[in-house]
Coordinates of all heavy atoms in Angstrom, one line a residue:
Q1 N -31.2 -12.0 -70.6 CA -32.5 -11.8 -71.3 C -33.1 -13.1 -71.6 O -34.4 -13.2 -71.6 CB -32.1 -11.1 -72.7 CG -31.7 -9.7 -72.5 CD -32.8 -8.8 -71.8 OE1 -33.9 -8.8 -72.3 NE2 -32.4 -8.1 -70.8
L2 N -32.4 -14.2 -71.9 CA -33.0 -15.5 -72.2 C -33.6 -16.0 -70.9 O -34.6 -16.7 -71.0 CB -31.9 -16.5 -72.6 CG -31.2 -16.2 -74.0 CD1 -30.2 -17.2 -74.4 CD2 -32.3 -16.1 -75.1
T3 N -33.0 -15.8 -69.8 CA -33.6 -16.2 -68.5 C -34.9 -15.5 -68.3 O -35.9 -16.1 -67.8 CB -32.7 -15.9 -67.3 OG1 -31.4 -16.6 -67.5 CG2 -33.3 -16.3 -66.0
D4 N -35.0 -14.2 -68.6 CA -36.3 -13.4 -68.4 C -37.3 -13.9 -69.4 O -38.5 -14.0 -69.0 CB -36.0 -11.9 -68.7 CG -35.1 -11.3 -67.6 OD1 -35.0 -11.9 -66.5 OD2 -34.6 -10.3 -67.8
K5 N -37.0 -14.3 -70.6 CA -37.9 -14.6 -71.6 C -38.3 -16.1 -71.6 O -39.4 -16.5 -72.0 CB -37.4 -14.3 -73.0 CG -36.8 -12.9 -73.2 CD -37.8 -11.8 -73.1 CE -37.2 -10.4 -73.3 NZ -38.1 -9.4 -73.0
G6 N -37.4 -16.9 -71.2 CA -37.7 -18.4 -71.2 C -38.4 -18.9 -70.0 O -38.7 -18.2 -69.1
Q7 N -38.5 -20.2 -70.0 CA -39.2 -21.0 -69.0 C -38.2 -21.4 -67.9 O -38.6 -22.0 -66.9 CB -39.9 -22.2 -69.5 CG -40.8 -21.9 -70.7 CD -41.9 -20.9 -70.4 OE1 -42.5 -21.0 -69.3 NE2 -42.2 -20.0 -71.2
C8 N -36.9 -21.2 -68.1 CA -35.8 -21.7 -67.3 C -35.1 -20.6 -66.6 O -34.7 -19.6 -67.3 CB -34.9 -22.6 -68.1 SG -33.6 -23.4 -67.1
S9 N -34.8 -20.7 -65.3 CA -34.2 -19.6 -64.6 C -32.6 -19.8 -64.5 O -32.0 -19.0 -63.8 CB -34.8 -19.6 -63.2 OG -34.5 -20.8 -62.5
S10 N -32.1 -20.8 -65.1 CA -30.7 -21.1 -64.9 C -29.8 -20.9 -66.2 O -28.7 -21.5 -66.2 CB -30.5 -22.6 -64.4 OG -31.1 -23.5 -65.4
F11 N -30.2 -20.1 -67.1 CA -29.4 -19.8 -68.3 C -28.2 -19.0 -67.9 O -27.2 -19.0 -68.7 CB -30.2 -19.1 -69.4 CG -30.9 -20.0 -70.4 CD1 -32.2 -20.4 -70.2 CD2 -30.1 -20.5 -71.4 CE1 -32.8 -21.2 -71.2 CE2 -30.7 -21.4 -72.3 CZ -32.0 -21.8 -72.2
T12 N -28.2 -18.3 -66.8 CA -27.0 -17.5 -66.5 C -25.9 -18.2 -65.7 O -24.8 -17.7 -65.5 CB -27.5 -16.3 -65.6 OG1 -28.2 -16.8 -64.4 CG2 -28.4 -15.4 -66.4
N13 N -26.2 -19.5 -65.2 CA -25.2 -20.1 -64.4 C -25.0 -21.6 -64.7 O -24.0 -22.2 -64.3 CB -25.5 -20.0 -62.9 CG -26.9 -20.4 -62.6 OD1 -27.4 -21.4 -63.1 ND2 -27.6 -19.7 -61.7
A14 N -25.9 -22.3 -65.4 CA -25.8 -23.7 -65.6 C -25.5 -24.1 -67.0 O -25.8 -23.3 -67.9 CB -27.2 -24.4 -65.2
E15 N -24.9 -25.2 -67.2 CA -24.6 -25.7 -68.5 C -25.8 -26.3 -69.1 O -26.5 -27.1 -68.5 CB -23.5 -26.7 -68.5 CG -23.0 -27.2 -69.9 CD -21.8 -28.1 -69.8 OE1 -21.2 -28.3 -68.8 OE2 -21.5 -28.7 -70.9
K16 N -26.1 -26.0 -70.4 CA -27.3 -26.4 -71.0 C -26.9 -27.2 -72.3 O -25.8 -27.2 -72.7 CB -28.2 -25.2 -71.5 CG -28.6 -24.3 -70.4 CD -29.7 -25.0 -69.5 CE -30.2 -24.1 -68.5 NZ -31.2 -24.7 -67.6
D17 N -27.9 -27.9 -72.8 CA -27.8 -28.6 -74.1 C -27.9 -27.5 -75.2 O -28.8 -26.7 -75.1 CB -28.8 -29.7 -74.3 CG -28.6 -30.5 -75.5 OD1 -28.8 -30.0 -76.6 OD2 -28.2 -31.6 -75.4
P18 N -27.0 -27.5 -76.2 CA -27.1 -26.5 -77.3 C -28.5 -26.5 -77.9 O -29.0 -25.4 -78.3 CB -26.0 -26.9 -78.2 CG -25.0 -27.6 -77.4 CD -25.8 -28.3 -76.4
E19 N -29.1 -27.6 -78.1 CA -30.4 -27.7 -78.7 C -31.5 -26.9 -77.9 O -32.4 -26.3 -78.5 CB -30.8 -29.2 -78.9 CG -32.1 -29.4 -79.7 CD -32.4 -30.8 -80.0 OE1 -31.8 -31.7 -79.4 OE2 -33.4 -31.1 -80.7
E20 N -31.4 -27.0 -76.6 CA -32.3 -26.3 -75.7 C -32.2 -24.8 -75.9 O -33.1 -24.0 -76.0 CB -32.0 -26.6 -74.3 CG -33.0 -26.0 -73.3 CD -32.7 -26.3 -71.8 OE1 -31.8 -27.1 -71.6 OE2 -33.4 -25.8 -70.9
F21 N -30.9 -24.3 -76.1 CA -30.6 -22.9 -76.3 C -31.2 -22.5 -77.7 O -31.8 -21.5 -77.8 CB -29.1 -22.6 -76.2 CG -28.7 -21.4 -76.9 CD1 -29.1 -20.1 -76.5 CD2 -27.8 -21.4 -77.9 CE1 -28.7 -19.0 -77.1 CE2 -27.3 -20.3 -78.6 CZ -27.8 -19.1 -78.2
L22 N -30.9 -23.3 -78.7 CA -31.3 -23.0 -80.1 C -32.8 -22.9 -80.2 O -33.4 -22.1 -80.8 CB -30.7 -23.9 -81.1 CG -29.2 -23.9 -81.3 CD1 -28.7 -24.9 -82.2 CD2 -28.8 -22.5 -81.8
N23 N -33.5 -23.9 -79.6 CA -35.0 -23.9 -79.6 C -35.6 -22.7 -79.0 O -36.5 -22.1 -79.5 CB -35.5 -25.2 -78.9 CG -35.3 -26.4 -79.8 OD1 -35.1 -26.4 -81.0 ND2 -35.3 -27.6 -79.1
L24 N -35.0 -22.3 -77.8 CA -35.5 -21.1 -77.1 C -35.3 -19.9 -78.0 O -36.3 -19.1 -78.2 CB -34.8 -21.0 -75.8 CG -35.1 -19.7 -75.0 CD1 -36.6 -19.6 -74.6 CD2 -34.2 -19.5 -73.8
I25 N -34.1 -19.6 -78.5 CA -33.9 -18.3 -79.2 C -34.5 -18.3 -80.6 O -35.1 -17.3 -81.0 CB -32.4 -18.0 -79.2 CG1 -32.2 -16.6 -79.6 CG2 -31.7 -18.9 -80.2 CD1 -30.8 -16.1 -79.4
M26 N -34.6 -19.5 -81.3 CA -35.1 -19.5 -82.6 C -36.6 -19.5 -82.6 O -37.3 -18.9 -83.4 CB -34.6 -20.6 -83.4 CG -33.1 -20.5 -83.8 SD -32.5 -21.9 -84.8 CE -30.9 -21.3 -85.3
Q27 N -37.2 -20.4 -81.7 CA -38.6 -20.6 -81.7 C -39.4 -19.6 -80.9 O -40.3 -18.8 -81.3 CB -39.0 -22.0 -81.3 CG -40.5 -22.3 -81.3 CD -40.7 -23.8 -80.9 OE1 -40.0 -24.3 -80.1 NE2 -41.8 -24.3 -81.4
Q28 N -39.0 -19.5 -79.6 CA -39.8 -18.7 -78.6 C -39.5 -17.3 -78.7 O -40.4 -16.4 -78.5 CB -39.6 -19.3 -77.2 CG -40.1 -20.7 -77.0 CD -39.9 -21.2 -75.6 OE1 -40.2 -20.4 -74.7 NE2 -39.5 -22.4 -75.4

């Protein structure tokens, strides 16, 4: 769902920075 809603297509397979995840789910 985050991949569909966000600007990044790699939330399902790549390691991310926690801040990037928190900004996406909390803000966007």
Side-chain angles (χ1 to χ4, degrees):
Q1 291 298 308
L2 295 181
T3 299
D4 291 342
K5 311 294 181 186
Q7 309 297 320
C8 182
S9 61
S10 55
F11 266 99
T12 55
N13 52 39
E15 185 173 351
K16 300 288 185 184
D17 188 286
E19 187 173 9
E20 183 180 358
F21 160 61
L22 291 176
N23 285 340
L24 173 62
I25 195 166
M26 289 183 171
Q27 181 179 28
Q28 297 184 38

